[in-house]
Amino acid sequence: MPSSSREEAPLAGLAFTRGGRSLLIRRWDGKPTETADVSHAVRAKQTPADRLAANSGKSRGPWSTRATWESSGRSPLAVRPDGRLLAAPGQSSVLPSGRTAPNGLPAEETTALAFSPDGKHLAAGADNGRVVLWDGAVKQTFGALTGTYDAARARPGPVDAEAVTALAYSPDGTTLAVGGEHGTLQLWDAASRRPLGSPLPTPGDAVLALAFSPDGRTLHTVGRHSAVRSVAVDTERVTTSVCARAHGGLSRSGWRKYIPEVPYRDVCAGR
């Protein structure tokens, strides 16, 4: 995307508006949110009134909202699926009017945000590894997940908090994927707030972005030092993949050797 200056501050947060035609951009310098017309790959210009509002600290529309955080390096953004609300640490903006109001998202601790597909819930990851669940208006909390907190404590050696670096809901809203700074990638059941199985395999670097496929059967992930990877998260596809790697699964003798307490089943039949 074209850049208007070689001295612009590094990016702190990005979010697409509804329909994907515009990209909201926030930087570490705390200046007003920028917008870019993605369909034409050009940055929208600020009017003189926008610049005046920015310098005075007043808000004038959704793209000129003054940031409320310091230069912590993490300023996640999330646009509600109905396109009417922009959530950010410390404040929310009503779209398209740009009216802003404080919210309870901790400005210095919130590291990742994701709305559920129906817009009724907002997951907010924190630098301590936990994920707090908010209502769609970002006014009240109603629960929390341990996120990457337990994974960090399970590692040998001194306990070092693993910040949540990426979040994504499945298309049906039933599953929440949580990625961490040290490579943890865990699926959670959104309703029960319990983990779904063990953490998924990753190269071990920070998980920077997550996205489910439209059918919800594949989770795409990208790391700080690793390329985009696709992980099968659909039960049927996972079973088929495991059976292929195991060349048809355990034989009866192998079953008796490794799991004798469980009655034999040909779990790979037909795969």
Side-chain angles (χ1 to χ4, degrees):
M1 183 173 295
S3 175
S4 59
S5 171
R6 298 176 65 89
E7 299 180 357
E8 290 176 323
L11 298 178
L14 297 171
F16 281 102
T17 58
R18 184 182 182 186
R21 293 182 60 85
S22 296
L23 179 67
L24 308 184
I25 304 168
R26 279 187 173 171
R27 300 181 182 277
W28 289 4
D29 55 13
K31 291 183 178 179
T33 304
E34 305 169 30
T35 181
D37 183 347
V38 179
S39 61
H40 295 90
V42 295
R43 180 167 306 153
K45 297 180 179 179
Q46 280 190 326
T47 66
D50 288 329
R51 289 192 290 271
L52 179 61
N55 293 332
S56 66
K58 298 179 180 178
S59 173
R60 185 182 183 276
W63 318 142
S64 56
T65 302
R66 177 166 291 280
T68 60
W69 53 85
E70 303 297 330
S71 57
S72 63
R74 295 190 179 101
S75 301
L77 304 176
V79 176
R80 200 167 59 192
D82 64 5
R84 297 180 179 179
L85 188 73
L86 169 65
Q91 69 178 18
S92 299
S93 300
V94 177
L95 305 179
S97 70
R99 178 171 54 86
T100 63
N103 61 34
L105 295 171
E108 293 300 320
E109 301 170 12
T110 304
T111 54
L113 296 171
F115 276 104
S116 61
D118 60 8
K120 294 182 178 180
H121 304 146
L122 174 71
D127 55 5
N128 65 4
R130 300 183 185 277
V131 178
V132 178
L133 303 176
W134 292 74
D135 67 345
V138 201
K139 293 182 178 179
Q140 295 182 334
T141 62
F142 64 89
L145 311 174
T146 55
T148 58
Y149 180 81
D150 288 340
R153 292 178 62 85
R155 294 190 181 95
V159 176
D160 184 18
E162 180 179 6
V164 175
T165 50
L167 295 166
Y169 275 96
S170 61
D172 61 6
T174 61
T175 303
L176 176 65
V178 179
E181 190 173 23
H182 300 158
T184 297
L185 179 55
Q186 177 69 56
L187 299 180
W188 291 80
D189 179 72
S192 67
R193 302 167 206 165
R194 294 180 178 276
L196 297 173
S198 301
L200 300 174
T202 70
D205 55 345
V207 180
L208 297 186
L210 296 169
F212 280 90
S213 61
D215 62 8
R217 296 182 176 183
T218 303
L219 178 64
H220 305 292
T221 174
V222 63
R224 178 169 291 146
H225 306 294
S226 56
V228 176
R229 302 173 67 250
S230 298
V231 182
V233 293
D234 175 71
T235 303
E236 184 65 26
R237 292 185 62 186
V238 170
T239 302
T240 300
S241 176
V242 170
C243 287
R245 292 199 300 270
H247 304 292
L250 289 174
S251 63
R252 288 183 178 274
S253 59
W255 190 286
R256 286 194 298 270
K257 179 179 179 180
Y258 294 108
I259 45 176
E261 68 279 7
V262 178
Y264 176 77
R265 288 190 303 120
D266 186 359
V267 295
C268 293
R271 297 184 175 91

